[in-house]
Every structure is written in structure tokens, then in C-alpha cells.
Amino acid sequence: MDDCIFCALANGSIPTDMVYEDEKIAVFRDASPQAPVHVLMVPKEHIASLDELTDEHAELMAHMMLKIKDIAAQEGLSNGYRTVINTGEDGEQTVKHLHIHILGKRKMTWPPG
């Protein structure tokens, strides 16, 4: 999608601090980190949110879920981490491109904040 910031970051047309990339996903540091480690995992395919997923995305989503632990280990999150997927307006999704926040290196509180 031409006007999506996460598409532009994932495809390299906007420079970012990329921590992992393969043919399906890109993982980069969040511009407004909420923890000492805060990275975003995005599919390279533009998918607006969890609500847009179809059965055809099953392999992609499995790939993303299985890569989280590898990214967490790479980032030194050996004592745990939090993953967050915001969906829709009430879910505080600010960028309309599916993304998973991976946060760590501090004690996470509940509710988040």
C-alpha cells in the first residue's frame, strides 16, 4: 500500500533500525518505545488488522508467532517479555497495518501503561 508507513519501513523505502527481516516479515525498533526493548513485527504484505485476516494468512501468522521467541532471544529478553496486538479504534491501533509489539527489559505492569 503506497501510503502505509509500515509498508514503507518494511520494504526499505524509509530507513529504520531493522533488527530482523526475511521474505515474509520485518522487525524494527519502535520510534516511541514504551520499554527499554520495544520492537514491532510487521508482515511485508499489507494487512490492515487482525480483523482482515483470512484462512490464506494462516501460514504467515504461524511464521510470525514462531519468530517472536527468536526475536526476544536476539534482543536479550531472557527474563520474559510482553507481546501486544492492538486492533481497531477502541484497541488503540494507530497504524492500520497489522503489527505485533514485542516489549521487554523491564517489569511489565497490568493494566499496561
Side-chain angles (χ1 to χ4, degrees):
M1 176 175 263
D2 291 339
D3 62 344
C4 175
I5 184 98
F6 284 177
C7 285
L9 292 166
N11 72 28
S13 61
I14 296 176
T16 189
D17 187 359
M18 192 74 68
V19 299
Y20 176 83
E21 181 178 19
D22 63 27
E23 67 284 348
K24 296 178 182 182
I25 63 173
V27 182
F28 46 85
R29 300 208 185 280
D30 193 292
S32 299
Q34 303 300 304
V37 171
H38 186 170
V39 297
L40 301 175
M41 175 184 286
V42 304
K44 290 188 173 180
E45 173 186 350
H46 182 82
I47 303 168
S49 75
L50 282 176
D51 289 340
E52 302 298 317
L53 291 174
T54 66
D55 290 342
E56 287 92 41
H57 297 115
E59 183 180 327
L60 170 63
M61 292 310 296
H63 178 70
M64 291 177 74
M65 292 294 108
L66 292 169
K67 280 294 177 188
I68 290 172
K69 65 179 175 33
D70 298 336
I71 301 304
Q74 175 185 310
E75 293 296 310
L77 303 179
S78 59
N79 200 41
Y81 53 92
R82 174 173 285 164
T83 57
V84 177
I85 303 173
N86 300 322
T87 304
E89 187 176 332
D90 284 352
E92 293 293 323
Q93 182 180 3
T94 57
V95 177
K96 304 305 183 215
H97 185 119
L98 176 64
H99 56 286
I100 303 171
H101 297 260
I102 304 168
L103 304 106
K105 288 280 185 180
R106 74 166 170 87
K107 183 77 171 174
M108 297 292 147
T109 58
W110 192 259

